[in-house]
Amino acid sequence: IGEAGLDDSRFICDEICGDGYVAGVHGCDDGNNDDGDGCSSLCSVEEGWQCAFPPGPLPALAIPCTTICGDGLRIQGLEQCDDGNTAVDDGCSATCSVELAYNCSVGPKTAEFRM
């Protein structure tokens, strides 16, 4: 404590990761500290996901992250397929669902037509 009873120590404030609010250097904040759901435990956007910033000043309540359909990275449980594009009639739809009469698998050929 300095002169006249004033506290002259310096305060450092850090963003809280996992509270559901986007602030400071956070790329996202989905309200938890789980990896694999689009926003990492360190509040950075994970590969294959996109996280939008809410409109207005920060801090602000976060918008949930979503998968990126068409990036070639299939997010298990959320995308049936992801062939690296959003074209239709190639086996994997623009919403990353397997199209009728196709069977998709992992590998260099991601969609195979069945007659």
Side-chain angles (χ1 to χ4, degrees):
I1 299 204
E3 287 183 37
L6 297 175
D7 185 352
D8 61 356
S9 59
R10 302 293 180 244
F11 289 93
I12 298 172
C13 300
D14 293 316
E15 304 88 9
I16 299 170
C17 180
D19 64 353
Y21 287 88
V22 178
V25 297
H26 289 171
C28 56
D29 192 326
D30 58 1
N32 66 58
N33 294 108
D34 300 334
D35 290 322
D37 61 358
C39 185
S40 77
S41 61
L42 300 175
C43 287
S44 60
V45 179
E46 295 175 307
E47 186 176 26
W49 294 80
Q50 60 188 359
C51 304
F53 278 98
L58 296 179
L61 192 59
I63 297 171
C65 301
T66 57
T67 62
I68 302 171
C69 181
D71 65 351
L73 299 171
R74 180 179 163 266
I75 305 299
Q76 193 169 359
L78 298 175
E79 296 175 327
Q80 291 180 342
C81 56
D82 193 326
D83 60 358
N85 66 65
T86 55
V88 294
D89 298 326
D90 66 352
C92 187
S93 75
T95 58
C96 288
S97 298
V98 177
E99 295 175 319
L100 186 63
Y102 282 87
N103 179 34
C104 297
S105 61
V106 177
K109 187 175 183 183
T110 58
E112 181 180 301
F113 184 73
R114 276 204 234 159
M115 295 186 84

